[in-house]
Amino acid sequence: MVDIQLAKSKMENEEGMNHLWIQLHPEDLLQISEIKIQLPKGIYRSKNLNGLIENEQGHIITDASGQDMIIEIFTQDAIPCGEMTIVVSLLTSEAAVHQDISIQVVPEEEMDTAEINQHVVERVKALSNTSPTQDDDEDDSNFVYIQPKILEQRISRLEKNYRIDYGY
């Protein structure tokens, strides 16, 4: 019913990042469901990169069409090394199905031996290459565009006249 894959077999214990790919099969879904992700202590996640709706509890809302979702997981501070378990639950009004996936948390020196799952990497790349187009009928009010401030150096008339440039 739920397939879960990690982009890398290992994750760095300090400032580490990985991607979790969750795939739902449409033939197994008959109704709207929620995906709940329980992470080990010290591992955090971003909102799903697919733009699916998340409720107040942080559960991802899915429909009966069967969807996939990419979740970026990361560490903010150093956490203990070792094998940890991520629990992904598919919650429906009738049942709850839980699936575990193990992740090995290691120091930076051991990351060069991590196995890379190219299927997940390609899915993340494909997702990051898609961008909203102007032809979409959807309301663009969810997007916030922030114009960066441009700092300009203002010099007074007196400073211009009496400034000494030492040429450092």
Side-chain angles (χ1 to χ4, degrees):
M1 185 179 283
V2 179
D3 288 332
I4 307 167
Q5 299 178 52
L6 287 165
K8 296 180 275 191
S9 60
K10 298 178 181 179
M11 187 164 139
E12 186 182 332
N13 73 323
E14 188 172 356
E15 299 181 12
M17 185 184 72
N18 207 332
H19 288 87
L20 189 66
W21 185 16
I22 302 171
Q23 300 170 339
L24 303 175
H25 301 284
E27 63 273 5
D28 295 330
L29 294 173
L30 302 174
Q31 58 195 343
I32 294 176
S33 309
E34 295 180 16
I35 296 290
K36 177 182 178 184
I37 302 168
Q38 294 172 289
L39 297 169
K41 186 177 181 178
I43 297 180
Y44 304 92
R45 76 174 184 90
S46 64
K47 291 201 177 280
N48 70 86
L49 301 179
N50 303 70
L52 300 173
I53 296 171
E54 295 192 29
N55 63 19
E56 306 82 42
Q57 294 89 14
H59 299 180
I60 303 165
I61 309 300
T62 64
D63 61 22
S65 66
Q67 299 166 320
D68 71 336
M69 55 210 74
I70 301 286
I71 312 293
E72 183 179 279
I73 59 174
F74 55 91
T75 58
Q76 292 180 329
D77 300 310
I79 61 173
C81 294
E83 188 170 322
M84 297 188 178
T85 302
I86 299 170
V87 180
V88 177
S89 303
L90 175 64
L91 310 170
T92 67
S93 59
E94 299 170 0
V97 177
H98 308 285
Q99 187 170 340
D100 297 351
I101 185 163
S102 296
I103 185 167
Q104 193 69 32
V105 179
V106 297
E108 180 182 6
E109 305 83 51
E110 293 183 32
M111 282 304 296
D112 34 340
T113 62
E115 296 174 24
I116 306 294
N117 184 331
Q118 288 301 325
H119 296 294
V120 179
V121 171
E122 291 302 319
R123 181 63 182 121
V124 171
K125 283 182 185 178
L127 191 61
S128 65
N129 287 336
T130 59
S131 61
T133 63
Q134 297 298 341
D135 298 335
D136 291 345
D137 293 334
E138 296 180 19
D139 182 17
D140 286 339
S141 63
N142 291 336
F143 295 101
V144 177
Y145 298 99
I146 300 173
Q147 179 69 29
K149 289 184 179 181
I150 298 173
L151 299 177
E152 58 184 74
Q153 184 178 12
R154 295 186 182 186
I155 302 172
S156 72
R157 181 183 58 81
L158 290 174
E159 187 177 358
K160 284 181 187 177
N161 291 337
Y162 299 104
R163 185 175 206 179
I164 298 173
D165 188 9
Y166 292 104
Y168 291 119

PDB file of all heavy atoms in Angstrom, residues 125-143:
ATOM      1  N   LYS A 125      14.882  15.632  -8.488  1.00  0.00           N
ATOM      2  CA  LYS A 125      15.281  16.534  -9.572  1.00  0.00           C
ATOM      3  C   LYS A 125      14.077  16.903 -10.431  1.00  0.00           C
ATOM      4  O   LYS A 125      13.900  18.068 -10.795  1.00  0.00           O
ATOM      5  CB  LYS A 125      16.358  15.884 -10.448  1.00  0.00           C
ATOM      6  CG  LYS A 125      17.728  15.879  -9.844  1.00  0.00           C
ATOM      7  CD  LYS A 125      18.702  15.252 -10.819  1.00  0.00           C
ATOM      8  CE  LYS A 125      20.077  15.105 -10.230  1.00  0.00           C
ATOM      9  NZ  LYS A 125      21.002  14.439 -11.173  1.00  0.00           N
ATOM     10  N   ALA A 126      13.258  15.915 -10.778  1.00  0.00           N
ATOM     11  CA  ALA A 126      12.082  16.181 -11.605  1.00  0.00           C
ATOM     12  C   ALA A 126      11.126  17.124 -10.896  1.00  0.00           C
ATOM     13  O   ALA A 126      10.561  18.031 -11.507  1.00  0.00           O
ATOM     14  CB  ALA A 126      11.371  14.870 -11.950  1.00  0.00           C
ATOM     15  N   LEU A 127      10.973  16.930  -9.605  1.00  0.00           N
ATOM     16  CA  LEU A 127      10.077  17.782  -8.829  1.00  0.00           C
ATOM     17  C   LEU A 127      10.617  19.200  -8.736  1.00  0.00           C
ATOM     18  O   LEU A 127       9.865  20.153  -8.829  1.00  0.00           O
ATOM     19  CB  LEU A 127       9.896  17.194  -7.425  1.00  0.00           C
ATOM     20  CG  LEU A 127       8.812  17.796  -6.573  1.00  0.00           C
ATOM     21  CD1 LEU A 127       7.455  17.618  -7.223  1.00  0.00           C
ATOM     22  CD2 LEU A 127       8.803  17.138  -5.212  1.00  0.00           C
ATOM     23  N   SER A 128      11.928  19.339  -8.578  1.00  0.00           N
ATOM     24  CA  SER A 128      12.504  20.674  -8.467  1.00  0.00           C
ATOM     25  C   SER A 128      12.532  21.394  -9.801  1.00  0.00           C
ATOM     26  O   SER A 128      12.604  22.618  -9.845  1.00  0.00           O
ATOM     27  CB  SER A 128      13.905  20.614  -7.859  1.00  0.00           C
ATOM     28  OG  SER A 128      14.777  19.929  -8.724  1.00  0.00           O
ATOM     29  N   ASN A 129      12.472  20.671 -10.908  1.00  0.00           N
ATOM     30  CA  ASN A 129      12.475  21.297 -12.235  1.00  0.00           C
ATOM     31  C   ASN A 129      11.096  21.771 -12.661  1.00  0.00           C
ATOM     32  O   ASN A 129      10.986  22.526 -13.613  1.00  0.00           O
ATOM     33  CB  ASN A 129      13.025  20.339 -13.293  1.00  0.00           C
ATOM     34  CG  ASN A 129      14.516  20.166 -13.161  1.00  0.00           C
ATOM     35  OD1 ASN A 129      15.200  21.017 -12.625  1.00  0.00           O
ATOM     36  ND2 ASN A 129      15.014  19.036 -13.630  1.00  0.00           N
ATOM     37  N   THR A 130      10.054  21.308 -11.995  1.00  0.00           N
ATOM     38  CA  THR A 130       8.712  21.764 -12.345  1.00  0.00           C
ATOM     39  C   THR A 130       8.456  23.078 -11.640  1.00  0.00           C
ATOM     40  O   THR A 130       8.764  23.256 -10.476  1.00  0.00           O
ATOM     41  CB  THR A 130       7.637  20.742 -11.929  1.00  0.00           C
ATOM     42  OG1 THR A 130       7.705  20.535 -10.518  1.00  0.00           O
ATOM     43  CG2 THR A 130       7.817  19.432 -12.655  1.00  0.00           C
ATOM     44  N   SER A 131       7.903  24.000 -12.365  1.00  0.00           N
ATOM     45  CA  SER A 131       7.577  25.292 -11.777  1.00  0.00           C
ATOM     46  C   SER A 131       6.208  25.696 -12.270  1.00  0.00           C
ATOM     47  O   SER A 131       5.798  25.315 -13.355  1.00  0.00           O
ATOM     48  CB  SER A 131       8.620  26.342 -12.144  1.00  0.00           C
ATOM     49  OG  SER A 131       8.650  26.487 -13.542  1.00  0.00           O
ATOM     50  N   PRO A 132       5.450  26.468 -11.485  1.00  0.00           N
ATOM     51  CA  PRO A 132       4.130  26.867 -11.919  1.00  0.00           C
ATOM     52  C   PRO A 132       4.203  27.737 -13.163  1.00  0.00           C
ATOM     53  O   PRO A 132       5.109  28.550 -13.307  1.00  0.00           O
ATOM     54  CB  PRO A 132       3.571  27.651 -10.726  1.00  0.00           C
ATOM     55  CG  PRO A 132       4.751  28.013  -9.902  1.00  0.00           C
ATOM     56  CD  PRO A 132       5.824  27.015 -10.198  1.00  0.00           C
ATOM     57  N   THR A 133       3.240  27.536 -14.071  1.00  0.00           N
ATOM     58  CA  THR A 133       3.187  28.334 -15.285  1.00  0.00           C
ATOM     59  C   THR A 133       2.055  29.336 -15.193  1.00  0.00           C
ATOM     60  O   THR A 133       1.144  29.190 -14.387  1.00  0.00           O
ATOM     61  CB  THR A 133       2.970  27.433 -16.514  1.00  0.00           C
ATOM     62  OG1 THR A 133       1.701  26.787 -16.377  1.00  0.00           O
ATOM     63  CG2 THR A 133       4.063  26.391 -16.647  1.00  0.00           C
ATOM     64  N   GLN A 134       2.090  30.321 -16.055  1.00  0.00           N
ATOM     65  CA  GLN A 134       1.055  31.338 -16.072  1.00  0.00           C
ATOM     66  C   GLN A 134      -0.250  30.792 -16.619  1.00  0.00           C
ATOM     67  O   GLN A 134      -1.295  31.368 -16.440  1.00  0.00           O
ATOM     68  CB  GLN A 134       1.513  32.534 -16.931  1.00  0.00           C
ATOM     69  CG  GLN A 134       2.725  33.244 -16.388  1.00  0.00           C
ATOM     70  CD  GLN A 134       2.478  33.859 -15.023  1.00  0.00           C
ATOM     71  OE1 GLN A 134       1.358  34.078 -14.595  1.00  0.00           O
ATOM     72  NE2 GLN A 134       3.551  34.135 -14.300  1.00  0.00           N
ATOM     73  N   ASP A 135      -0.221  29.662 -17.340  1.00  0.00           N
ATOM     74  CA  ASP A 135      -1.429  29.104 -17.929  1.00  0.00           C
ATOM     75  C   ASP A 135      -2.276  28.334 -16.927  1.00  0.00           C
ATOM     76  O   ASP A 135      -3.402  27.952 -17.240  1.00  0.00           O
ATOM     77  CB  ASP A 135      -1.076  28.171 -19.090  1.00  0.00           C
ATOM     78  CG  ASP A 135      -0.358  28.930 -20.209  1.00  0.00           C
ATOM     79  OD1 ASP A 135      -0.563  30.157 -20.315  1.00  0.00           O
ATOM     80  OD2 ASP A 135       0.400  28.284 -20.963  1.00  0.00           O
ATOM     81  N   ASP A 136      -1.737  28.066 -15.755  1.00  0.00           N
ATOM     82  CA  ASP A 136      -2.490  27.321 -14.754  1.00  0.00           C
ATOM     83  C   ASP A 136      -3.714  28.108 -14.330  1.00  0.00           C
ATOM     84  O   ASP A 136      -3.657  29.316 -14.167  1.00  0.00           O
ATOM     85  CB  ASP A 136      -1.631  27.025 -13.511  1.00  0.00           C
ATOM     86  CG  ASP A 136      -0.532  26.019 -13.816  1.00  0.00           C
ATOM     87  OD1 ASP A 136      -0.616  25.345 -14.876  1.00  0.00           O
ATOM     88  OD2 ASP A 136       0.408  25.918 -13.010  1.00  0.00           O
ATOM     89  N   ASP A 137      -4.831  27.409 -14.147  1.00  0.00           N
ATOM     90  CA  ASP A 137      -6.064  28.046 -13.706  1.00  0.00           C
ATOM     91  C   ASP A 137      -6.112  28.213 -12.202  1.00  0.00           C
ATOM     92  O   ASP A 137      -7.060  28.755 -11.668  1.00  0.00           O
ATOM     93  CB  ASP A 137      -7.278  27.219 -14.159  1.00  0.00           C
ATOM     94  CG  ASP A 137      -7.415  27.242 -15.681  1.00  0.00           C
ATOM     95  OD1 ASP A 137      -6.945  28.233 -16.295  1.00  0.00           O
ATOM     96  OD2 ASP A 137      -7.984  26.292 -16.241  1.00  0.00           O
ATOM     97  N   GLU A 138      -5.114  27.722 -11.514  1.00  0.00           N
ATOM     98  CA  GLU A 138      -5.124  27.785 -10.054  1.00  0.00           C
ATOM     99  C   GLU A 138      -4.861  29.206  -9.585  1.00  0.00           C
ATOM    100  O   GLU A 138      -4.223  30.002 -10.262  1.00  0.00           O
ATOM    101  CB  GLU A 138      -4.068  26.842  -9.469  1.00  0.00           C
ATOM    102  CG  GLU A 138      -4.354  25.393  -9.777  1.00  0.00           C
ATOM    103  CD  GLU A 138      -3.298  24.485  -9.191  1.00  0.00           C
ATOM    104  OE1 GLU A 138      -2.575  24.922  -8.278  1.00  0.00           O
ATOM    105  OE2 GLU A 138      -3.208  23.341  -9.632  1.00  0.00           O
ATOM    106  N   ASP A 139      -5.332  29.507  -8.399  1.00  0.00           N
ATOM    107  CA  ASP A 139      -5.135  30.824  -7.800  1.00  0.00           C
ATOM    108  C   ASP A 139      -3.695  30.931  -7.324  1.00  0.00           C
ATOM    109  O   ASP A 139      -3.206  30.094  -6.581  1.00  0.00           O
ATOM    110  CB  ASP A 139      -6.109  30.987  -6.627  1.00  0.00           C
ATOM    111  CG  ASP A 139      -6.003  32.341  -5.972  1.00  0.00           C
ATOM    112  OD1 ASP A 139      -5.429  33.261  -6.600  1.00  0.00           O
ATOM    113  OD2 ASP A 139      -6.511  32.480  -4.849  1.00  0.00           O
ATOM    114  N   ASP A 140      -2.986  31.947  -7.773  1.00  0.00           N
ATOM    115  CA  ASP A 140      -1.588  32.145  -7.392  1.00  0.00           C
ATOM    116  C   ASP A 140      -1.440  32.908  -6.091  1.00  0.00           C
ATOM    117  O   ASP A 140      -0.359  33.353  -5.754  1.00  0.00           O
ATOM    118  CB  ASP A 140      -0.841  32.904  -8.498  1.00  0.00           C
ATOM    119  CG  ASP A 140      -0.574  32.017  -9.692  1.00  0.00           C
ATOM    120  OD1 ASP A 140      -0.587  30.788  -9.516  1.00  0.00           O
ATOM    121  OD2 ASP A 140      -0.361  32.553 -10.799  1.00  0.00           O
ATOM    122  N   SER A 141      -2.513  33.056  -5.334  1.00  0.00           N
ATOM    123  CA  SER A 141      -2.436  33.838  -4.107  1.00  0.00           C
ATOM    124  C   SER A 141      -1.629  33.143  -3.019  1.00  0.00           C
ATOM    125  O   SER A 141      -1.301  33.748  -2.018  1.00  0.00           O
ATOM    126  CB  SER A 141      -3.841  34.152  -3.590  1.00  0.00           C
ATOM    127  OG  SER A 141      -4.496  32.946  -3.255  1.00  0.00           O
ATOM    128  N   ASN A 142      -1.289  31.872  -3.202  1.00  0.00           N
ATOM    129  CA  ASN A 142      -0.499  31.157  -2.210  1.00  0.00           C
ATOM    130  C   ASN A 142       0.987  31.493  -2.319  1.00  0.00           C
ATOM    131  O   ASN A 142       1.757  31.167  -1.445  1.00  0.00           O
ATOM    132  CB  ASN A 142      -0.677  29.646  -2.358  1.00  0.00           C
ATOM    133  CG  ASN A 142      -2.056  29.203  -1.972  1.00  0.00           C
ATOM    134  OD1 ASN A 142      -2.733  29.874  -1.208  1.00  0.00           O
ATOM    135  ND2 ASN A 142      -2.492  28.084  -2.510  1.00  0.00           N
ATOM    136  N   PHE A 143       1.380  32.130  -3.416  1.00  0.00           N
ATOM    137  CA  PHE A 143       2.782  32.437  -3.617  1.00  0.00           C
ATOM    138  C   PHE A 143       3.079  33.838  -3.102  1.00  0.00           C
ATOM    139  O   PHE A 143       2.351  34.774  -3.364  1.00  0.00           O
ATOM    140  CB  PHE A 143       3.153  32.343  -5.096  1.00  0.00           C
ATOM    141  CG  PHE A 143       3.033  30.944  -5.632  1.00  0.00           C
ATOM    142  CD1 PHE A 143       1.934  30.562  -6.373  1.00  0.00           C
ATOM    143  CD2 PHE A 143       4.021  30.011  -5.381  1.00  0.00           C
ATOM    144  CE1 PHE A 143       1.813  29.280  -6.853  1.00  0.00           C
ATOM    145  CE2 PHE A 143       3.912  28.721  -5.852  1.00  0.00           C
ATOM    146  CZ  PHE A 143       2.805  28.346  -6.593  1.00  0.00           C
TER     147      PHE A 143
END
